[in-house]
Amino acid sequence: DFLRGDPFEPPLELGGDVVFSCLKQAEDGRGLVLRVFNPNPQPEALTLNLPARRIRLDEEEDVDGGLDLAPAEIATLLLPK
């Protein structure tokens, strides 16, 4: 019913002690761009239920780093179509 809503599986699941910052379409349309932030004084590992690869903030090139974030690091990830 309308008040309870229909159950559904979430399309994106994030794991790890990180802060969701942004989810938007990639500038070239090749997928979605996800930005997350590690607010902690220790490294954190991000987990996702979808494949992703790390890219630069300007979305131009892939970068090393995977899904591990250093303290106070912002990561930009591409979730391909």
Side-chain angles (χ1 to χ4, degrees):
D1 73 21
F2 180 74
L3 295 177
R4 286 186 326 147
D6 292 326
F8 65 92
E9 292 296 317
L12 178 63
E13 291 181 39
L14 304 176
D17 193 11
V18 297
V19 176
F20 169 88
S21 174
C22 172
L23 182 65
K24 68 177 201 82
Q25 182 173 342
E27 293 297 320
D28 63 4
R30 62 185 171 152
L32 295 175
V33 171
L34 169 68
R35 290 202 181 97
V36 293
F37 171 70
N38 176 8
N40 301 302
Q42 70 275 349
E44 292 292 338
L46 169 68
T47 59
L48 295 168
N49 66 330
L50 298 173
R53 70 176 190 269
R54 195 105 172 235
I55 58 174
R56 292 186 341 190
L57 180 63
D58 65 6
E59 303 177 25
E60 292 298 318
E61 297 179 18
D62 292 357
V63 296
D64 294 332
L67 300 180
D68 294 322
L69 280 74
E73 183 177 17
I74 298 170
T76 303
L77 302 151
L78 178 66
L79 309 171
K81 284 186 176 180

